[in-house]
């Protein structure tokens, strides 16, 4: 069995740190990605690298590290830099399509991904970015085995 990631929005690190204990929608600020949050197998580091390299053109070695909020034996919470979330708010269809194509050609453990699936994922992230901004929240990810 693999690791699962749940992306959510919170106003600050203290609120984000309490999420694993409560998992109540009101604790997540109602910003979760998708209905009930987005549970995915895509690592936050991969998401950060894809946005910053595919959309912003930043070299992979300059992608900033994630900030660890909580490290518990059963789970961890990390904060994604706003430099990863903010660029998605202002990009158009061409940039999203180009980034999806670029990311689809990068092999991962399962092989290259379908560009259309990556495109749909980027649009979900774009919506998430708008909701975070509207609520004044930052992006966090809950990681557990």
């Amino acid at each position: 069995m693999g690791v699962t990631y749940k992306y959510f929005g919170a106003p600050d690190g203290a609120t984000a740190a309490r999420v694993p204990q409560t998992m109540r929608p009101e604790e997540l600020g109602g910003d979760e990605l998708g209905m009930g949050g987005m549970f995915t197998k895509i690592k936050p580091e991969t998401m950060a690298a894809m946005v910053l390299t595919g959309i912003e053109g930043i070299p992979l070695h300059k992608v900033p590290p994630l900030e660890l909020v909580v490290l518990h034996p059963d789970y961890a919470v990390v904060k994604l830099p706003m430099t990863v979330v903010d660029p998605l708010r202002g990009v158009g269809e061409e940039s999203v399509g180009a980034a999806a194509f670029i990311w689809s050609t990068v092999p991962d453990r399962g092989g290259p991904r379908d560009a259309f699936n990556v495109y749909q994922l980027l649009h979900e992230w774009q919506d998430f970015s708008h909701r975070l901004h509207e609520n004044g929240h930052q992006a966090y990810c809950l990681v557990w085995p």
Side-chain angles (χ1 to χ4, degrees), residues 8-20:
F8 65 94
D12 53 51
T15 304
R18 289 192 305 272
V19 165

Side-chain angles (χ1 to χ4, degrees), residues 33-56:
L33 185 51
M35 294 297 291
M38 184 173 98
F39 293 88
T40 181
K41 297 289 182 185
I42 299 173
K43 294 186 213 176
E45 307 88 80
T46 303
M47 199 63 218
M50 189 281 309
V51 169
L52 293 175
T53 59
I55 293 177
E56 292 290 284

Side-chain angles (χ1 to χ4, degrees), residues 10-30:
D12 53 51
T15 304
R18 289 192 305 272
V19 165
Q21 298 152 351
T22 64
M23 294 301 284
R24 291 192 312 262
E26 58 270 18
E27 283 290 323
L28 298 177

